[in-house]
Amino acid sequence: MDGFFLSIFMLVFLIASVILFIYVLIDILRHEFSGYNKIIWIVVLLCLPVLGALLYLTIGRGQKLPK
């Protein structure tokens, strides 16, 4: 029974991670950044998907250029 709950937890974590990755990638691509910040955030996101997404949400969103 424990294996079942672990499997459900891992599935929910995987789905949430994919949704977070896609959301952050779309947010990065839709906005302008100064210099090479857009490329740097994409590389960070591709190398460290979950951690990169969390870092972007805490640090990177403030680096967007105003419209």
Side-chain angles (χ1 to χ4, degrees):
M1 197 69 171
D2 290 332
F4 175 73
F5 290 117
L6 182 61
S7 298
I8 295 295
F9 174 75
M10 292 299 289
L11 182 63
V12 169
F13 179 76
L14 179 67
I15 291 171
S17 298
V18 169
I19 291 170
L20 180 65
F21 177 85
I22 292 170
Y23 170 76
V24 169
L25 183 62
I26 289 171
D27 192 58
I28 292 171
L29 294 174
R30 289 184 70 198
H31 293 91
E32 293 296 322
F33 293 84
S34 62
Y36 293 108
N37 284 349
K38 182 181 275 195
I39 295 171
I40 291 169
W41 278 115
I42 290 173
V43 169
V44 168
L45 185 64
L46 292 175
C47 291
L48 305 166
V50 176
L51 182 60
L54 294 175
L55 285 172
Y56 174 76
L57 290 175
T58 56
I59 300 170
R61 293 189 80 165
Q63 296 177 353
K64 292 186 226 178
L65 293 178
K67 290 185 175 185

